[in-house]
Amino acid sequence: MTANAGYLFYKKYYKDIKSEDWEKIVSGEYKKERSSDKKKEKTPFEKAIDTVNGQIEILSPDKLPDSLELKGITAIKLVTTNPGLLIGSGYSHETGIENEYKIGFFFDHTTGLPVIPGSSVKGVLRSVFPKPDEPDSKQNGKKSYLKNLLKGIFDETLSDKEFDKKLIKLEKAVFEGTEFVKAKESDKDEKEQRIPMAKRDIFFDARIIETIGNSGKIFGKDSITPHKHPLKNPIPLKFLKVLPGVVFQFSFRLSDSGGISADEKKRLFQDILLTIGAGAKTNVGYGQFVEYKDQSANTSHTTA
Amino acid sequence: MNKKLERLIPIALEAAKILSKGTDSIPSEYNGYIASFGASVIQSGLKSAVAFNERTASESAESKADLMKALLSMVKKQNGIDHDPNSDEKLLSYILENEKSDNLGRIKRQILDSATALKLAIRTFILVKKG
């Protein structure tokens, strides 16, 4: 079954709510009525929400986007792992209605499929580079991590100061599109200048290209249960996630710059994504990936 | 800046006082809330977006309902209606009234323009982070 999940999640979800229902929801009267009589029959809009929840959760697209195998595009395929991926949790989606998803989600507008924006991918990769306003311990930790990843790329005999300088050049080249060059051979110092757009690294949205298992489904439901008070019942908060076993293609247009080659950048980015993950709640296990191994021998998955 | 927005700035600066509570600073959370409000309206629809922000028992760091009050005061001012900032009137109620009289399209445009102007006005205040 296929539909635009973004339309279902944001538009169809609240379509059946009448004006008088909205008044009750916002004033808190709905919540009072619901909690005073839990056995009360579901209202039409509650039933509509249950229906839409079901439609989203059984969604399995007939056709997924093709894997981008174009000249000049570097692709990294990664598979989501348990418990899944949550992207776009900063969007609002809570009115207080029972059984609704409480946390927002980000969908591609046209296809309705989950997509990790290129800006988010770039942000995740840049987040492992040390920032000058961070505590020294954090900066040193990041430098140590990157030193390990860049073994074999940067000279291992470099002093700390020389390594820091190379790291800054790499960061500026990849994320800001600037490089340090000498105007003339005889110049002592290098000046920062912009890299032409055609030679800058481009970060594309990460898209779903395949599902492994799950009968082709992409979405699942999950919940977090804050325990605010030890003597009060915890309230589970339901949210939508991308299931484990969904293959994302991270695409880039990479150039040799910042002291490393495009191939070396691809390996660096893959290592970072496999370590850090993407999306929300990465500190409790969401948004983690493993390397994709071609499953063409496995008949239980959906491809483009 | 377009003329429509320029005309709204003084109204927005007045409305921002609801958030600053008479001081020259505003909690920095409001900057994020108002920046995402317009996108929320486009994504989920006007009534849903306002409901997300106006519902009681919201657990955000600052009260998003105050932001909706500020927008309500701006919309009413544009329509020549007096608004008491201390009243409990909700923006959603105002929207639902106007839906009955077929004014929803106009009100939606006014709310979106007001949100843009309020966002710019908020940034003229000192934005204070909690903690």
Side-chain angles (χ1 to χ4, degrees), chain A:
Chain A
M1 184 240 157
T2 192
N4 188 311
Y7 169 77
L8 292 175
F9 191 81
Y10 283 112
K11 291 268 160 56
K12 197 169 175 198
Y13 219 78
Y14 301 109
K15 223 174 168 190
D16 289 333
I17 302 178
K18 297 195 177 83
S19 305
E20 51 270 24
D21 298 326
W22 275 122
E23 295 268 10
K24 276 189 183 175
I25 289 163
V26 167
S27 65
E29 209 184 307
Y30 160 79
K31 204 164 184 175
K32 271 191 209 152
E33 281 179 10
R34 231 333 133 212
S35 46
S36 66
D37 184 0
K38 289 192 189 297
K39 289 186 186 156
K40 193 176 169 183
E41 199 197 322
K42 286 195 173 185
T43 59
F45 62 85
E46 283 174 328
K47 287 180 188 170
I49 281 175
D50 285 345
T51 306
V52 175
N53 285 348
Q55 286 173 336
I56 295 173
E57 286 159 25
I58 63 163
L59 214 138
S60 60
D62 300 325
K63 184 167 168 46
L64 287 164
D66 291 332
S67 157
L68 254 182
E69 308 283 353
L70 297 173
K71 189 180 172 182
I73 301 291
T74 302
I76 298 172
K77 294 179 190 177
L78 300 175
V79 191
T80 54
T81 61
N82 202 38
L85 169 75
L86 172 56
I87 192 92
S89 60
Y91 291 103
S92 302
H93 199 265
E94 188 180 5
T95 57
I97 300 171
E98 275 222 343
N99 209 30
E100 69 173 348
Y101 290 118
K102 303 292 180 196
I103 299 177
F105 203 90
F106 182 69
F107 303 89
D108 171 57
H109 182 81
T110 314
T111 61
L113 292 172
V115 71
I116 305 174
S119 52
S120 297
V121 175
K122 190 173 182 178
V124 162
L125 294 170
R126 192 170 192 177
S127 70
V128 303
F129 283 75
K131 291 184 198 45
D133 55 350
E134 282 175 338
D136 285 344
S137 55
K138 197 168 184 178
Q139 285 192 52
N140 292 334
K142 288 183 175 181
K143 284 177 193 172
S144 166
Y145 169 68
L146 285 166
K147 210 168 196 172
N148 198 38
L149 289 185
L150 292 164
K151 242 187 232 177
I153 301 173
F154 285 176
D155 185 352
E156 282 171 50
T157 60
L158 287 175
S159 67
D160 286 346
K161 212 172 174 180
E162 284 166 339
F163 176 80
D164 289 353
K165 224 173 154 181
K166 283 200 129 191
L167 201 61
I168 290 171
K169 279 188 180 180
L170 174 62
E171 186 185 358
K172 289 229 175 231
V174 172
F175 300 109
E176 291 182 25
T178 60
E179 59 185 357
F180 293 88
V181 290
K182 286 183 186 173
K184 284 178 241 170
E185 272 298 319
S186 50
D187 284 347
K188 258 189 188 176
D189 298 320
E190 291 173 325
K191 279 192 179 155
E192 197 173 344
Q193 70 178 33
R194 301 198 75 78
I195 298 172
M197 206 60 217
K199 292 184 182 171
R200 284 182 63 173
D201 297 328
I202 310 284
F203 298 77
F204 298 104
D205 296 348
R207 304 165 316 128
I208 296 175
I209 56 166
E210 192 177 327
T211 58
I212 302 170
N214 302 321
S215 310
K217 286 187 220 164
I218 290 172
F219 296 105
K221 62 180 176 212
D222 206 333
S223 54
I224 48 171
T225 320
H227 287 60
K228 286 187 194 161
H229 194 279
L231 299 177
K232 286 187 178 169
N233 279 336
I235 303 162
L237 303 175
K238 188 163 115 165
F239 61 92
L240 190 68
K241 68 176 183 185
V242 173
L243 289 168
V246 173
V247 184
F248 276 85
Q249 179 174 296
F250 292 79
S251 305
F252 311 89
R253 198 198 66 191
L254 300 173
S255 314
D256 299 345
S257 64
I260 72 176
S261 69
D263 280 340
E264 286 164 343
K265 280 182 190 169
K266 178 186 175 180
R267 277 201 301 279
L268 176 68
F269 291 171
Q270 180 162 319
D271 286 340
I272 294 171
L273 287 167
L274 288 171
T275 309
I276 303 294
K281 303 192 188 301
T282 49
N283 59 330
V284 289
Y286 290 89
Q288 302 303 311
F289 297 95
V290 291
E291 266 185 81
Y292 171 76
K293 290 183 174 74
D294 196 346
Q295 302 275 318
S296 46
N298 184 345
T299 54
S300 66
H301 64 278
T302 308
T303 61

